[in-house]
Each structure stands twice: as structure tokens, then as C-alpha cells.
Amino acid sequence: VRLYRRAVAQGHLGAQYNYGICYAQGRRGLTQSYAEVVRLFRLAAEQGYDAAQFNCACCYAEGKGCVQDLAMAVRFYTQAAAQGHAGAQFNLGIAYAEGQGVAQSSAEAARLWRQAAEQGEVEAMNRLGSCFAQGEGEIAQSWTEAARLWRQAAALGHAGAQTNLAYC
């Protein structure tokens, strides 16, 4: 713990992130503290670490260790998504689909879900499949493409995609 503290004080982003994980899990003799998690994740996120940006965004989205702030969540999801973080792309897609912290845009949601799906994010495959099934998000309706995405997600164990395939 002493070495983590020293590395955090020196601005080491890996230490900031990993020490945050220790606080999140209450490991290494630390008492679980999500306020400290957010502080540490944010230090690493501000230095451009995509995993820290993603996890910091999740904290702001849920109000875990901080006041819920959807605009701040979107800010960090956007930064991580721009670096190719599939989880951030998926969650940012949810924000756009539901208009949480951003103006609602089915097209932007579908674009982000496509990026995440191409990296193997199964929930994104399922959501994008639904976009194709419904012709949503400026995507032409295609049951063939919907079924392809659902089969891919189902093969990876996604129960929702398996259910969607049953309806095809």
C-alpha cells in the first residue's frame, strides 16, 4: 500500500488505476471506498488511460462514489470509446439510444454498437441485431443481418440473442 501511495503521488497512471481497484474491492487492507475509487480513476483517466476513463464513467453514470452526473459519464465514455474501448463504445451507445447525458440519437447508438460488436462485445451484437431487425438508427431493415449478429452473440452465450433468434 505504501508503494502504491508513493507511485500515485508521483502521477503513475497504472498505480492510480490499480490502487483504485484495490479500494473498489477492499483489498490490501483497505476499506472499500468508492469516493476514493472515483478520485483515483479520475487521476488516471485525466492522463488518458482508457480503462480508467471507462470505469470513471461507470461511477458517474451510477452515482457510485460521487454525485450522479450523466454528462461527466458521457465525457469519459467518449474519451475511452475514441481509443477503441469496446465497453465504453457500448455504454456510450446506450446513452445515445436513451438520451442520457446527450441528445438522443439512434444513428449514433447504432454506429457505436457496430464498433463494439466488431470487437466482440456480445451485448452490442445483440443491440445492433435489434437495430437491423427494426430498421432503426439509419440502418436499413435486414432480418438476415439481424440473425447473423444474434447467431454470433448466441454462440458466445448471450441469452437475449438466443431468445431473439427463436423469434426469427
Side-chain angles (χ1 to χ4, degrees):
V1 172
R2 183 176 50 83
L3 294 176
Y4 265 135
R5 284 189 192 129
R6 186 179 309 160
V8 166
Q10 293 173 358
H12 189 277
L13 68 90
Q16 292 163 343
Y17 179 74
N18 289 327
Y19 200 34
I21 296 290
C22 290
Y23 269 104
Q25 298 172 350
R27 290 189 355 223
R28 299 192 185 261
L30 298 172
T31 301
Q32 190 177 48
S33 169
Y34 279 96
E36 192 62 12
V37 169
V38 171
R39 184 186 78 78
L40 290 161
F41 283 173
R42 188 162 180 167
L43 288 172
E46 302 275 343
Q47 293 185 67
Y49 189 41
D50 65 336
Q53 291 164 337
F54 171 73
N55 285 299
C56 195
C58 291
C59 290
Y60 278 107
E62 298 171 19
K64 200 167 193 176
C66 57
V67 174
Q68 185 181 42
D69 185 339
L70 298 177
M72 187 66 74
V74 165
R75 174 182 160 218
F76 284 115
Y77 281 141
T78 300
Q79 290 172 358
Q83 294 186 67
H85 192 286
Q89 291 164 339
F90 173 74
N91 285 2
L92 188 56
I94 295 290
Y96 275 102
E98 298 177 2
Q100 295 179 345
V102 291
Q104 193 280 334
S105 171
S106 297
E108 185 63 9
R111 183 187 74 77
L112 288 158
W113 291 336
R114 184 183 306 273
Q115 290 176 350
E118 288 171 354
Q119 295 185 71
E121 171 60 54
V122 294
E123 185 61 40
M125 292 173 198
N126 186 54
R127 295 279 183 135
L128 187 59
S130 295
C131 289
F132 275 102
Q134 298 165 12
E136 184 177 280
E138 298 181 10
I139 290 177
Q141 186 177 30
S142 170
W143 285 100
T144 302
E145 187 61 13
R148 183 191 71 76
L149 286 159
W150 289 336
R151 270 193 299 279
Q152 192 176 2
L156 295 169
H158 191 282
Q162 293 165 354
T163 302
N164 288 336
L165 274 173
Y167 291 121
C168 285

